[in-house]
Amino acid sequence: MSPKDVLAFAKAEGARQVDIRFTDIPGLQHHITYPISQLTEDSFEDGFGIDGSSIRGWAAINESDMLLIPDPATAIIDPFYSVPTVVMTGNVLDPITKQKYDRDPRNIARKAEAHLQNTGLADTCYLGAEAEFFIFDNVSFDSTPNAAFYEIDAEEGRWNTGRKENNHGYRPRYKEGYFPVPPTDHYQDLRAEMVEVLEKAGIVVECHHHEVATGGQCEIDQKFETLVKSADNMMTYKYIVRNVAHQFGKSVTFMPKPIFGDNGSGMHCHQSLWKDGKPLFAGDGYAGLSQMALWYIGGLLRHARSLSAIIAPTTNSYKRLVPGYEAPVNLAYSRRNRSAACRIPMYSASPKSKRVEFRPPDPSCNPYLAFSAMLMAGLDGVINKIDPGESLDKDIYDLSPEEMKSVPSMPASLEEALYCLEEDHTFLLKGDVFTEELIETYVSYKSKHEADAVRQRPHPYEFALYYDI
């Protein structure tokens, strides 16, 4: 929509307010709301002034003035507000230079798309991300100097099979929650409502289903989109899924590993490059891939350890990325084999469906940063013709210790991942997509507020291990 279209849309829908949203560095969405009378055609050029000093990872208080410019192409009616409200995603500009703010994640994604076009290699990166999540009935947690605990509960959780009252059974066994019909799948109707709201918001849904873990693990798959649009959709997806669950008296988390001993939540990312409306990843190479696609895989694998700080960006991420589980810690590629970091889906022989699925990411990441970083790694592989090596079509977890020595692996902790990012990020700086200052800010924030904060605190299980030592 154009600015004029948005104003007409708002009037037709009876909107009385306008809500502009943006995303901080860690990936939390923020918003500010104005009476609809404040929205004019000039607003799409002049923007709205905001204070960025309290946004995580953004400017210091002496440089806090920002401009928030609404993107008219993102306009929808919020499905949850009681007062009819037009919602748009905004881009953040420096109010003095009027340049894109380098710490605005959406601007980084926009620069990544522009860089792709400037290379002449392709003009479009399509991304389809599959974000899994858990649905809980109750969650409580706290951490103080002398105590720390968490407790989650889900009616569907296998741990409730021994409950005395109001117990009707039908709960997925641990690691056996994939595709059961109701009543074992407790959340068919809830997911169906989520899909209804998502589609009203303009997001095309391909399917929804229960996932592997007990305790309400689910997945709703969106159709692929261009990079920025796909990241926008992921933020809307999280917002809608959380709020529909909230209306049903439930809580959704995209935390990758909330349950010990069962599968965590990943966000497998399907990606491909196109030019002039034609797919570039189809060819006569391995698994029907082009040489460009193989080089793209080479870039993903070469930079996967540094990418991990952005695509699996929490200390909890590395509770999921553990050898021996479905999560792909070993850096290899294969057709069909879901234990490889890069998988080539073989559902269709159509050139348009040829793509690479990168499996290490999880849904705790900031999609603008994660999608941009993966594209930059893949492009580095194409530009420098990085050979991905031999494919690995065996079950990686059945390899001998000698065979495993030749297979590199993902970092085992956020600290290690951040070190890898510090050592290997030149590929992210190409085309000024990421900046050195942004990387330094990101590493500093993640180290101080997350990695160090968790490392310095006693863990409850340490008392079980060491109290009587």
Side-chain angles (χ1 to χ4, degrees):
M1 287 192 281
S2 68
K4 187 173 292 186
D5 292 333
V6 172
L7 296 176
F9 172 67
K11 184 176 181 180
E13 295 290 334
R16 301 207 299 273
Q17 299 191 12
V18 58
D19 200 60
I20 316 296
R21 297 180 183 174
F22 57 96
T23 304
D24 65 15
I25 294 293
L28 187 67
Q29 199 172 44
H30 301 263
H31 75 131
I32 184 167
T33 311
Y34 303 90
I36 198 66
S37 59
Q38 297 297 309
L39 184 69
T40 66
E41 285 193 55
D42 291 340
S43 303
F44 294 88
E45 289 189 12
D46 299 339
F48 296 90
I50 61 169
D51 174 8
S53 63
S54 296
I55 304 302
R56 296 182 298 177
W58 278 22
I61 196 165
N62 61 315
E63 298 177 337
S64 61
D65 288 350
M66 302 285 169
L67 282 180
L68 189 58
I69 311 295
D71 183 344
T74 64
I76 62 171
I77 295 295
D78 188 278
F80 305 106
Y81 290 175
S82 57
V83 175
T85 302
V86 172
V87 174
M88 285 179 283
T89 301
N91 299 308
V92 182
L93 269 59
D94 184 293
I96 298 175
T97 66
K98 298 297 175 69
Q99 297 298 306
K100 296 174 183 176
Y101 183 48
D102 286 336
R103 297 193 195 181
D104 173 18
R106 192 171 194 261
N107 279 335
I108 292 171
R110 294 167 71 205
K111 288 193 291 182
E113 284 191 327
H115 175 65
L116 171 64
Q117 294 168 1
N118 290 337
T119 66
L121 296 168
D123 53 36
T124 306
C125 174
Y126 282 116
L127 259 152
E130 304 169 343
E132 299 164 349
F133 55 91
F134 279 88
I135 301 170
F136 295 135
D137 290 285
N138 192 67
V139 54
S140 56
F141 52 88
D142 203 359
S143 180
T144 65
N146 69 315
F149 77 96
Y150 74 89
E151 185 172 357
I152 54 177
D153 197 19
E155 165 61 32
E156 191 198 70
R158 187 68 180 178
W159 55 84
N160 277 319
T161 55
R163 196 173 64 199
K164 297 299 182 184
E165 290 85 23
N166 193 29
N167 189 348
H168 302 289
Y170 293 110
R171 296 184 176 88
R173 298 175 185 85
Y174 295 102
K175 296 183 176 295
E176 294 186 23
Y178 210 47
F179 291 0
V181 297
T184 304
D185 177 1
H186 287 217
Y187 301 114
Q188 171 68 24
D189 288 342
L190 177 51
R191 289 196 310 273
E193 180 62 23
M194 292 171 176
V195 168
E196 292 287 306
V197 180
L198 285 166
E199 293 204 313
K200 287 178 183 176
I203 294 177
V204 179
V205 174
E206 294 185 331
C207 68
H208 66 93
H209 58 85
H210 201 286
E211 259 297 338
V212 174
T214 191
Q217 190 184 35
C218 297
E219 180 179 313
I220 301 173
D221 290 342
Q222 310 172 43
K223 186 179 180 181
F224 64 87
E225 259 293 356
T226 55
L227 190 148
V228 172
K229 180 63 174 174
S230 186
D232 286 343
N233 285 351
M234 183 55 65
M235 297 307 297
T236 301
Y237 170 86
K238 286 185 172 183
Y239 174 74
I240 287 175
V241 166
R242 288 188 181 116
N243 277 279
V244 171
H246 188 69
Q247 288 180 329
F248 277 66
K250 313 232 179 243
S251 177
V252 157
T253 183
F254 291 93
M255 182 178 175
K257 188 72 173 182
I259 299 176
F260 169 68
D262 212 336
N263 281 40
S265 292
M267 189 180 74
H268 307 148
C269 293
H270 298 252
Q271 43 206 293
S272 63
L273 299 182
W274 291 54
K275 187 174 184 179
D276 298 328
K278 297 178 180 179
L280 302 180
F281 275 13
D284 56 5
Y286 174 80
L289 293 177
S290 65
Q291 183 61 64
M292 174 184 275
L294 290 168
W295 287 333
Y296 191 96
I297 290 171
L300 287 174
L301 296 179
R302 169 75 61 84
H303 299 297
R305 288 176 57 79
S306 56
L307 284 176
S308 62
I310 298 173
I311 65 172
T314 68
T315 59
N316 187 252
S317 298
Y318 299 87
K319 307 270 191 305
R320 167 185 171 257
L321 291 174
V322 174
Y325 291 83
E326 186 184 352
V329 298
N330 299 294
L331 300 175
Y333 72 101
S334 174
R335 59 186 161 204
R336 304 180 67 183
N337 190 340
R338 294 172 187 269
S339 60
C342 285
R343 186 179 77 93
I344 299 91
M346 303 297 291
Y347 300 120
S348 170
S350 170
K352 292 182 178 181
S353 70
K354 193 56 64 178
R355 61 196 187 274
V356 173
E357 178 190 14
F358 194 49
R359 296 176 65 80
D362 70 55
S364 67
C365 71
N366 182 324
Y368 297 106
L369 301 183
F371 296 171
S372 301
M374 286 186 287
L375 172 62
M376 297 300 289
L379 282 178
D380 190 63
V382 175
I383 292 168
N384 293 295
K385 300 181 179 179
I386 297 175
D387 184 358
E390 293 295 320
S391 62
L392 194 56
D393 292 322
K394 301 176 183 178
D395 185 338
I396 291 175
Y397 302 124
D398 286 341
L399 295 179
S400 68
E402 282 301 311
E403 290 174 304
M404 283 299 298
K405 286 181 181 178
S406 64
V407 181
S409 62
M410 292 287 284
S413 67
L414 180 58
E415 291 96 329
E416 186 181 354
L418 291 169
Y419 173 78
C420 292
L421 180 59
E422 285 184 300
E423 294 295 302
D424 173 32
H425 63 260
T426 302
F427 69 98
L428 295 173
L429 306 180
K430 302 291 177 62
D432 198 35
V433 174
F434 289 77
T435 64
E436 193 74 56
E437 192 260 355
L438 185 279
I439 298 294
E440 290 175 2
T441 299
Y442 184 88
V443 170
S444 174
Y445 179 90
K446 285 285 179 178
S447 296
K448 178 180 178 181
H449 295 283
E450 298 180 32
D452 290 349
V454 171
R455 181 174 55 82
Q456 293 169 4
R457 283 169 167 77
H459 189 284
Y461 193 61
E462 290 179 312
F463 284 83
L465 290 172
Y466 307 128
Y467 189 77
D468 61 349
I469 200 166

